[in-house]
Amino acid sequence: MSESSFQDDVLGELGDDRLSEIASLLGTDTAGARDTVTTTVGAMTGDLEQRAGADDEDGAEVRQAIAEVAEPPLQGVSTLGGLGGLLSGGMMAGVLARLSKPVAAAVSKKTGIPAATVSRVIEMLIPVLLAVFAKRAASGRSAGGTAAGTPAAPGAAPAGAGGLGDLLGQILGGGRK
């Protein structure tokens, strides 16, 4: 059973057009853009996992955002309005936006790409990350996974079987390859 990595899912969701746009922004080819996206996504998911495991307000917020991603999408009138931007991604969009500055600095240090440029790439990636999180959570629900299981309290630590720890593994695929 070959499960694609989270980065592969992000690259697939990103598509050739947006990958080319990132390559243009970076002043490189699509292979260079792909490497930068993979490095950036790995840094973001690693930071997200680390914060989810923290026993503080930051960790509670990340766990709550993960639980929100796992909820089935709203139906009917609730989906109208097209708020766009960070509002459409709920709490997780805000968490990812706050991660962007430290992640941009780390990726910049690792790759030599200016942090401001990496930040612009991250801005392009946040809606893609949200889409991949939602798809992975939905596939877990349809496969009988734990996404629709009992959500933990907002301040609870990631749990074992059936808890937020499993959900985080399902959404991120346990894989930053």
Side-chain angles (χ1 to χ4, degrees):
M1 168 158 104
S2 155
E3 182 179 321
S4 69
S5 75
F6 187 77
Q7 288 91 341
D8 290 342
D9 289 353
V10 169
L11 288 167
E13 185 73 24
L14 197 58
D16 292 338
D17 289 343
R18 284 191 275 181
L19 193 59
S20 293
E21 190 177 335
I22 290 171
S24 176
L25 176 69
L26 295 170
T28 187
D29 58 7
T30 54
R34 185 179 305 275
D35 289 344
T36 301
V37 166
T38 300
T39 299
T40 303
V41 169
M44 289 190 81
T45 56
D47 204 359
L48 197 60
E49 287 176 306
Q50 180 181 358
R51 289 176 190 239
D55 192 21
D56 58 13
E57 283 184 35
D58 225 14
E61 181 183 28
V62 171
R63 290 186 298 274
Q64 187 175 353
I66 292 167
E68 180 184 277
V69 167
E71 291 299 314
L74 295 173
Q75 301 292 321
V77 175
S78 300
T79 62
L80 301 176
L83 295 173
L86 295 181
L87 293 177
S88 66
M91 184 178 270
M92 183 57 82
V95 167
L96 293 174
R98 280 188 297 286
L99 290 177
S100 66
K101 188 172 182 177
V103 167
V107 171
S108 175
K109 186 175 181 180
K110 183 175 182 177
T111 64
I113 299 167
T117 304
V118 176
S119 290
R120 291 177 57 203
V121 170
I122 291 171
E123 288 172 13
M124 295 174 71
L125 288 176
I126 287 175
V128 176
L129 291 168
L130 293 170
V132 173
F133 288 152
K135 285 181 180 181
R136 283 181 168 236
S139 72
R141 283 191 300 273
S142 65
T146 61
T150 45
L164 282 177
D166 287 348
L167 178 60
L168 182 62
Q170 169 192 329
I171 290 174
L172 297 177
R176 287 167 302 155
K177 292 183 181 177

